[in-house]
Amino acid sequence: MAPSNSDRSDRSSARVPLRDHVATSIRRYLGDLNGSDVDNLYEIALRELEIPLFAEVLRHCDGNQSRAAAMLGIHRATLRKKLRDYGLA
């Protein structure tokens, strides 16, 4: 049986914002450091976010880089460069 409209709206209102998932992952990562310092956390975090973000958006767009770039709100050339930099192209 298909979900009713009220079931769909209940699920959409209960969605956890992406930033909450990111915060949980960062807390876990920092905890896993066991007191050790890290000097380039910003660079690490960006890379660790961008790689799966680009991969999943490209998958969603059936590999169409123009559509993926538009969905991401970046220029296609920027996406292509980042894909090369991350070894995804």
Side-chain angles (χ1 to χ4, degrees):
M1 184 158 113
S4 69
N5 285 338
S6 64
D7 289 341
R8 288 186 198 122
S9 64
D10 289 345
R11 270 188 275 161
S12 65
S13 65
R15 287 189 182 139
V16 177
L18 179 58
R19 72 177 147 267
D20 290 354
H21 293 287
V22 172
T24 299
S25 294
I26 291 171
R27 275 193 301 276
R28 185 178 308 126
Y29 179 80
L30 292 172
D32 289 347
L33 289 176
N34 291 324
S36 296
D37 286 335
V38 62
D39 294 330
N40 55 348
L41 183 57
Y42 181 74
E43 181 181 321
I44 291 168
L46 282 180
R47 181 182 67 238
E48 293 300 310
L49 174 70
E50 284 185 334
I51 290 171
L53 175 64
F54 295 154
E56 293 304 320
V57 170
L58 274 169
R59 185 174 296 119
H60 178 80
C61 294
D62 297 322
N64 184 311
Q65 291 182 3
S66 294
R67 282 184 49 219
M71 187 175 200
L72 291 163
I74 62 176
H75 194 276
R76 185 174 51 96
T78 301
L79 176 61
R80 292 172 64 105
K81 179 190 181 312
K82 287 181 174 278
L83 292 174
R84 279 192 311 274
D85 290 348
Y86 293 140
L88 298 173

